[in-house]
Amino acid sequence: GFSHKLGICPVLEVELWGAFEGVKLVWEKGIKKIVLEMGCIETINLLNGQTRDQNLLGGRVRDLLERMEEFRVIHISR
C-alpha cells in the first residue's frame, strides 16, 4: 500500500498542504478574507472545526484561518 508519514489519507494530506501554503500566501499579501474550495469532505470538516485533527498540519492551517477576519471552507465537485 501507499505509505505516508502523517498517517492520513493521501488526498487529505495534499489538500491540507495546499490549504496551508495558500492561506499563508494570502496572509503574507495582506488579504484577510478567504474562501477555500476543497474537494475532500474530510478536509472541510477538519478545517471548519467539525472534526478533531490527528496531526499537526490541520492545526497549523486552522491557526492561520483563525487569524483571518473572515473565512469559509466549502465543497466543490471534482
Side-chain angles (χ1 to χ4, degrees), residues 2-15:
F2 183 80
S3 174
H4 40 87
K5 61 187 172 193
L6 292 179
I8 58 177
C9 93
V11 172
L12 176 61
E13 184 174 348
V14 168
E15 283 204 335

Side-chain angles (χ1 to χ4, degrees), residues 1-76:
F2 183 80
S3 174
H4 40 87
K5 61 187 172 193
L6 292 179
I8 58 177
C9 93
V11 172
L12 176 61
E13 184 174 348
V14 168
E15 283 204 335
L16 286 175
W17 275 114
F20 177 75
E21 292 298 329
V23 174
K24 186 173 78 168
L25 179 66
V26 298
W27 177 260
E28 289 169 354
K29 293 194 174 285
I31 298 167
K32 303 295 189 250
K33 296 181 181 183
I34 189 170
V35 175
L36 291 177
E37 297 178 338
M38 313 302 285
C40 178
I41 295 293
E42 191 175 3
T43 307
I44 295 164
N45 291 340
L46 186 84
L47 296 180
N48 280 330
Q50 296 169 331
T51 58
R52 296 301 261 175
D53 192 6
Q54 300 295 320
N55 65 71
L56 295 177
L57 181 56
R60 291 175 68 190
V61 176
R62 182 80 188 161
D63 288 345
L64 285 173
L65 287 172
E66 288 177 355
R67 292 182 190 174
M68 296 284 176
E69 288 176 17
E70 184 180 331
F71 75 89
R72 288 189 313 144
V73 184
I74 61 173
H75 183 256
I76 58 165

